[in-house]
Each structure stands twice: as structure tokens, then as C-alpha cells.
Amino acid sequence: MADKLEPEQLRTYFALMESVSLLQHEVERHLRSEGDLSYVQFQLLARLAGAQRKLTMTELADGVVLSRSGLTHQAFLLGQAGLVERTADPDDHRSTLVEITEAGLSKFAAVLPGHVQVAKDLLFDQLTQDDVKSLGDMMTRVRDHMRARPPRSAATRKRRTPKALEN
Amino acid sequence: MADKLEPEQLRTYFALMESVSLLQHEVERHLRSEGDLSYVQFQLLARLAGAQRKLTMTELADGVVLSRSGLTHQAFLLGQAGLVERTADPDDHRSTLVEITEAGLSKFAAVLPGHVQVAKDLLFDQLTQDDVKSLGDMMTRVRDHMRARPPRSAATRKRRTPKALEN
DNA sequence: TATTGTTATACTCTATAACTATA
DNA sequence: TATAGTTATAGAGTATAACAATA
């Protein structure tokens, strides 16, 4: 459990990180020029568009791995642009609920095809259908594993003694 | 060539981006706390450690997809920390050659195991040996494809008419 | 007493444009 | 005239800590 990575793993790791880094740069360039959005902002819209309910600030912050204050800032910017709306939570008055607006959905729908085209040109054109399937399976597994840990918002709070570190 | 992504591709794309994003955050946290390095700085050291020769500033900037001025800044910081050294290129006096120092190599060697351990815990523990192999093959293919494009340093210069876009 | 979210603030990162020096 | 690199500068992004309101 504490040994080195095999050379094969090291090769894979660096290829993965480098590929995604390059892809991210291109995607960011596209989003900025096409929709005047940062990647984080796109991610926030994507999450809100996909969610079937309003999300709290903390949920949203954890979703994109951002500090709560960082999210406050981004939510302000998105609100200013008319893409999201923040309202008080009627059930828990401490919470703020975030909802994507019609304009936000339009914006998201407007940039998604081009975004997806970038991913297609850079990533999927190099992959077979089987590759895509197995890559999706792998990354879903990996993501779920990573998500099964204390979220970021818990770290900046006073840490309560975790019962089990790995659960 | 200009159609939509299949749902399977969309699922794969988001799982990939989210996984790597989570991984990057953890890796950055480790590097910062363990070695007082940013991820970019780690990447620079990794490139220099792996290169069998000194690299020019432009080569290094392209390698990590950073503007030339951005690299100047990072190279200054790394130089200040004694991890790299910049010297004039005797062959082309316009160029600056960057070399990793002994201290830089030590630092890199010091953080690599922990870095790799993070990758192991978050990524590789979820993958079979076959997964790793095929992920590596995919990402190598993807990276090489992405690298076969005009580098970032060319974009901020006056664009010369490219003879062949893909070469 | 713990949690949600915001504010104030400071810092890091990165890029654009202007500039110098060299080819 | 084009390229390598640096500088000056400005903008965006993020986090920490302190705070207010609510549970």
C-alpha cells in the first residue's frame, strides 16, 4: 500500500495529467472567447443545469472544489451576469439556495456544443468507442472513490474527530 | 466531424475532467505542504529533471503551457529558491538556458514519492493493471495529438502563415 | 456551540504590451 | 525584420480569518 508506482503507472500518470492540462487550456480559451466564462463558471452552470433542485452554496462549493468564500465571489459574478439567482432557504435560514436562471440555461446551452467540439477534436477523435467506454468506466470509479471523502468545506471548519478516515 | 458527443462521450468527458480536477487539488495540497511548491513549479522541475540537456525558456514555457512572461516569473522564483539556474546560451545569445541544480534534483526527489503516493491512493488503487496500461496508451496518443499543434509561444508573436497546420 | 454564508484582505498566478538585445 | 527573453502592469482567482445570523 505504500510502495512506489511502477514505471508503467508513472508513464500513465504523467500522460494523463499532461493531456488533461492541455485540454483544459483549450477549453478555457474557447469558453472565454465564446461565452466570456471561466472554466469554474462553466462548471458551476453545468452543475446547476444538471441538478434537479436548487443547491446550497456549500454543496456547490464542494461540487467544484472551491472554498466557500471563493464561491461567494463566483456566485456574485454569475448573479451580476444574470446567470444564477440566490435566494434564502425557507427551511434553514442560514443557507442560501442557488438556482440557474433562464439566461443561465441559455448561456450554458450556447457554449456547450463548441465546448464539446473542442473535447471531440482534441480527445475523442483519438479514442475508439471501446476506449471511450472503458475510460468512462475507469474515471467514474475513480471519481466516486475520490468523492467518498470529507469534502473541502469540512477542512476549513474546526475539524471534528473523524470516526473512520477512509469512509 | 462536427456532430455532437454521444451521451457516453459526455459522461466520459465529465468524469475525466472531474477526476483529474480532484486529483490535482490533492496533489497541489501535498506539494505545497510537503515541498512548498506549486504544481506548475513541480512540473517545471519534472521537465528539467527528465530532460537530458538544458532547455531554453521558450521550450520550457511551451512544455508546461505557460506564457513566456509567466515562465520568467516562475523561473525567477525557482532560481531564488536555488532550484534552477539560468545561464546565457553561448550559441544563441538571445536565448537563456535553464538547468536544474543539485538542490532542485534533491527537492524533486524528495517530493516525488509522496506525490506518487497521492496518485496511487486516489487513482491507481481503483485501476487494474490492464486499466493502467490502456489508460496510458490512450493518453499518450491523445497527448501526442495535442502536442502536434502550434505551441503557445507562437500565438503571442506575430503569426506567420503556417505552411501546414498539422506538422 | 456548531454551521452557513459573506466580507475584508492579501497573495499568487498569469497574460498583454512595451522594450532590449540578438539573429 | 523576426525571435528570445524581461519588465511593468493590471486583472482574475483563491484562500484565510473575522464576522453575523441562524440552528
Side-chain angles (χ1 to χ4, degrees):
Chain A
M1 195 189 184
D3 26 22
K4 293 186 193 166
L5 286 182
E6 308 295 322
E8 178 73 35
Q9 292 180 318
L10 211 53
R11 176 185 85 93
T12 297
Y13 171 71
F14 280 115
L16 172 68
M17 297 303 265
E18 187 176 348
S19 295
V20 172
S21 167
L22 289 164
L23 179 53
Q24 264 180 345
H25 273 282
E26 287 305 307
V27 152
E28 263 160 25
R29 222 166 48 75
H30 166 263
L31 286 173
R32 179 60 67 193
S33 75
E34 200 74 8
D36 201 33
L37 289 174
S38 69
Y39 189 60
V40 165
Q41 289 162 357
F42 171 80
Q43 283 179 302
L44 291 170
L45 292 183
R47 275 197 179 259
L48 290 168
Q52 288 307 314
R53 57 179 181 84
K54 303 175 186 177
L55 299 177
T56 68
M57 293 291 282
T58 296
E59 284 174 328
L60 205 46
D62 287 342
V64 300
V65 196
L66 202 62
S67 69
R68 284 167 294 119
S69 68
L71 178 60
T72 295
H73 178 59
Q74 290 299 332
F76 169 76
L77 292 179
L78 289 172
Q80 220 179 17
L83 306 179
V84 306
E85 237 170 35
R86 281 182 285 178
T87 56
D89 184 337
D91 295 337
D92 186 337
H93 284 204
R94 293 172 303 180
S95 295
T96 298
L97 296 176
V98 189
E99 184 176 23
I100 190 167
T101 63
E102 281 303 319
L105 285 169
S106 299
K107 169 77 89 173
F108 181 64
V111 296
L112 188 57
H115 183 110
V116 140
Q117 187 61 42
V118 172
K120 202 169 180 332
D121 291 345
L122 295 183
L123 181 69
F124 292 108
D125 276 6
Q126 301 304 308
L127 302 180
T128 68
Q129 222 169 349
D130 282 353
D131 284 340
V132 174
K133 174 74 167 64
S134 82
L135 180 61
D137 289 347
M138 283 186 233
M139 290 302 134
T140 300
R141 220 182 310 143
V142 167
R143 181 196 53 201
D144 292 347
H145 171 62
M146 290 179 183
R147 285 294 187 189
R149 343 186 94 220
R152 193 145 193 80
S153 63
T156 51
R157 303 289 193 186
K158 214 168 301 172
R159 173 78 81 185
R160 70 169 77 169
T161 30
K163 320 179 126 171
L165 281 168
E166 226 65 8
N167 235 340
Chain B
M1 195 190 186
D3 24 23
K4 294 185 193 166
L5 285 182
E6 308 294 325
E8 177 73 35
Q9 291 180 320
L10 212 52
R11 175 184 86 93
T12 297
Y13 171 72
F14 281 115
L16 172 67
M17 297 303 265
E18 187 176 347
S19 295
V20 172
S21 167
L22 289 165
L23 180 53
Q24 264 181 347
H25 274 281
E26 286 306 306
V27 151
E28 262 160 25
R29 221 168 47 75
H30 166 262
L31 286 173
R32 179 60 66 193
S33 75
E34 199 74 7
D36 199 34
L37 288 175
S38 70
Y39 189 59
V40 166
Q41 288 163 357
F42 171 80
Q43 284 179 301
L44 291 170
L45 291 183
R47 275 195 180 261
L48 290 169
Q52 287 307 314
R53 56 179 181 84
K54 303 175 186 177
L55 299 177
T56 68
M57 293 291 282
T58 297
E59 284 173 328
L60 205 46
D62 287 341
V64 299
V65 196
L66 201 63
S67 69
R68 285 165 296 120
S69 68
L71 178 60
T72 296
H73 177 60
Q74 290 300 332
F76 169 75
L77 292 179
L78 289 173
Q80 219 177 18
L83 306 179
V84 306
E85 236 170 37
R86 282 183 284 178
T87 56
D89 184 337
D91 294 338
D92 186 337
H93 284 202
R94 293 172 304 182
S95 296
T96 298
L97 296 176
V98 189
E99 184 177 23
I100 191 168
T101 63
E102 280 304 319
L105 285 169
S106 299
K107 169 77 88 173
F108 181 64
V111 296
L112 189 58
H115 183 111
V116 140
Q117 187 61 42
V118 172
K120 202 167 179 333
D121 291 344
L122 295 184
L123 180 68
F124 291 109
D125 275 6
Q126 300 304 308
L127 302 180
T128 68
Q129 221 168 348
D130 283 352
D131 285 340
V132 174
K133 174 74 169 62
S134 84
L135 179 61
D137 288 347
M138 284 187 232
M139 289 302 135
T140 300
R141 220 183 310 143
V142 167
R143 181 197 52 200
D144 291 347
H145 171 63
M146 290 179 183
R147 285 296 187 188
R149 343 186 93 221
R152 195 145 193 78
S153 63
T156 51
R157 302 291 192 187
K158 214 169 298 171
R159 173 78 81 186
R160 72 165 78 167
T161 31
K163 316 176 130 177
L165 281 168
E166 227 65 8
N167 232 342

